[in-house]
Amino acid sequence: MKTELVYLKPNVVVEPLFDQWYAWTHLIPPATASRNITERHLKIMDSYISDPDLHASAVRDPRMLGGPFIDYGGKRVDEIKALREKTKTERTCLVELSRAVTELDVMLRAEAKGFSLQPLYTRVPQPLRGYVELVYDLNNHPSFRLLESLLYRSKYYDRSAQSLALSLISGDDRPFVLSTPRLESPETIELRIPFDSEIIDWLFRTKYSPQPWDKVRDLLNVSNSRTELLRSMFTHEPPQPYKPYIGNGIRWRYFGHACILVEAAGVSMLLDPVLSYTYESQIARYTYEDLPERIDFVLITHNHQDHVLFETLLQIRHKIGAIVVPPSGSGALQDPSIELLLKQVGFTNVVELGEMESIPFDNGSITGLPFLGEHSDLNIRSKLAYLIRIGGHSLLFAADSCNIDPTLYAHVHREIGDVSALFLGMECDGAPLSWLYGPLLTAKIDRAMDQSRRLAGSNYEQAIDIVNRFHCREVYVYAMGQEPWLNYVMSLKYTKDSRPIVQSNRLIQECLARGMYAERLFGEKEILLSRAAGV
Ligand SMILES: [Fe+2]
Ligand SMILES: [Fe+2]
């Protein structure tokens, strides 16, 4: 009998889940996961159970976009109740860990007044004993340092919380990930596979390297009632073959948001991978099918969910040579190490790059540059802009870097010189601190303080200063969250009067008036650069 060979369809969405919630980076480190369970998930579920209709109307209100509201039209309350109970019983130790973080903070605020912290170790709540060092800053403000590596090796890191949900997609609409847990549905297959499993790499290879259907069925081990649905996610039709770049210059392609592929002979780099699946749409875009077989370097700028997206990273893990990340390791609750969390979910090739450090490659280099702001003035070190020198060009990917203190770039310019092309995010409104970091706080923040401390990128004045400083010839505004296929992680909808649009329009007009090339990227874009003479 002939073996039936099948490919994974290019419109199969694979959502990584943590206890039915979309797995983003704060759900992997035990301490941040514990805080998000008690302060985000349980609270949202409590609120939905007590007033589902309020959530339904809030989800319909564009002003509430990205708010803590479950998107099930006021229905499925019993399932949310069941998930809440399951979370409380199965994650007891994480609930206790979260409580311990609060108790430790309360104790330190009350007791640590500048004298030795040694007597306070016996008062560290039991779940955190041996996992923290108590510290002061130089002004006697007490805090604690988490021993992250040990926490990953403890009962607090449980891979059984991880699973993958497979479904077919035909349009851009998906509910916002931070607020809506993924419930079972007749169209979804949930695979109880932890993220570090090699089956994941095998599964995503079947997108372009077909496998026997029998093997797919056996390895994914779904129930009989789901076999037909699983079969509908596979096809006999091979994907469009990828056409590698064979020119002797440089090609870069914009895939949406902050995701850009840079290719030249012998090297490929992908920044902040966040990709669309392949389906019919009015908006042209590059998708997973437009990636090369191998990506030498994946470069991650910072730990926000629109820049480190497991959903994309897991799908391309088998293609990646090295994944370059900014360092952390500070042990601060708000700044979990990206290196550690990626290693935890099965990336074996993670490289931390420091500020002003470089990785050379044939005829070029990648340099990490400082990146200020956009993190609500929290002490978060894991953020990096990248300068790519290639073929006589220098491309600066500054992501959401906010040019709060232009003197920084004066120092950087002194070191690296001019830059030919700048890529800069200008989401200059930004969400308030509590939107992302609220669950980590153990004391209520004053509303005015919260509103003043935003996750905001550069405005016009800050952006033009960078352009002037580095004498850029090309300017691209990117990372604006405008592509509709990213709404599920971004929850942004601009009008023509939104400040990020007005400010970035002004930057583009100013650059064009000076005879430069400038554009706000949207959808897809390809630029070919010729190699400078002698390079
Ligand atoms: Fe960001
Ligand atoms: Fe961003």
Side-chain angles (χ1 to χ4, degrees), residues 245-383:
Y245 175 62
I246 46 165
N248 59 11
I250 297 101
R251 178 173 81 179
W252 67 254
R253 282 178 164 183
Y254 173 71
F255 280 65
H257 198 52
C259 182
I260 292 183
L261 175 69
V262 181
E263 288 174 286
V267 68
S268 57
M269 287 161 276
L270 186 67
L271 290 113
D272 288 344
V274 175
L275 298 178
S276 170
Y277 296 92
T278 312
Y279 43 82
E280 285 296 315
S281 167
Q282 301 289 338
I283 306 170
R285 67 193 71 174
Y286 295 116
T287 71
Y288 283 96
E289 289 179 292
D290 301 299
L291 288 181
E293 232 168 77
R294 184 183 154 84
I295 302 162
D296 297 304
F297 299 101
V298 161
L299 309 178
I300 301 287
T301 56
H302 65 297
N303 191 2
H304 284 158
Q305 79 275 18
D306 51 319
H307 298 263
V308 189
L309 193 72
F310 289 143
E311 180 171 343
T312 294
L313 287 174
L314 290 177
Q315 303 202 30
I316 64 173
R317 184 168 64 192
H318 63 280
K319 293 172 180 267
I320 300 175
I323 178 160
V324 181
V325 302
S328 168
S330 65
L333 178 64
Q334 72 275 11
D335 194 15
S337 157
I338 304 178
E339 182 198 20
L340 283 181
L341 71 87
L342 286 176
K343 282 185 172 167
Q344 227 42 242
V345 297
F347 290 83
T348 52
N349 39 6
V350 190
V351 179
E352 278 193 346
L353 186 68
E355 290 160 351
M356 308 311 294
E357 286 181 355
S358 295
I359 299 173
F361 55 82
D362 245 5
N363 295 317
S365 63
I366 300 162
T367 303
L369 298 179
F371 163 166
L372 293 187
E374 210 256 343
H375 290 61
S376 305
D377 300 322
L378 292 170
N379 185 9
I380 290 177
R381 208 186 141 199
S382 52
K383 46 186 184 176

Side-chain angles (χ1 to χ4, degrees), residues 380-394:
I380 290 177
R381 208 186 141 199
S382 52
K383 46 186 184 176
L384 206 58
Y386 291 99
L387 174 73
I388 298 178
R389 290 190 195 280
I390 189 165
H393 301 270
S394 46

Side-chain angles (χ1 to χ4, degrees), residues 401-403 409 422 424-426 457-470 472 475 477 503-504 507 511:
S401 173
C402 188
N403 187 13
Y409 286 119
L422 169 69
L424 182 66
M426 293 184 69
S458 291
N459 61 22
Y460 168 77
E461 302 294 343
Q462 292 162 332
I464 197 74
D465 184 89
I466 304 177
V467 173
N468 293 338
R469 189 84 54 185
F470 292 99
C472 306
V475 174
V477 176
Q503 297 273 306
S504 54
L507 177 76
C511 292

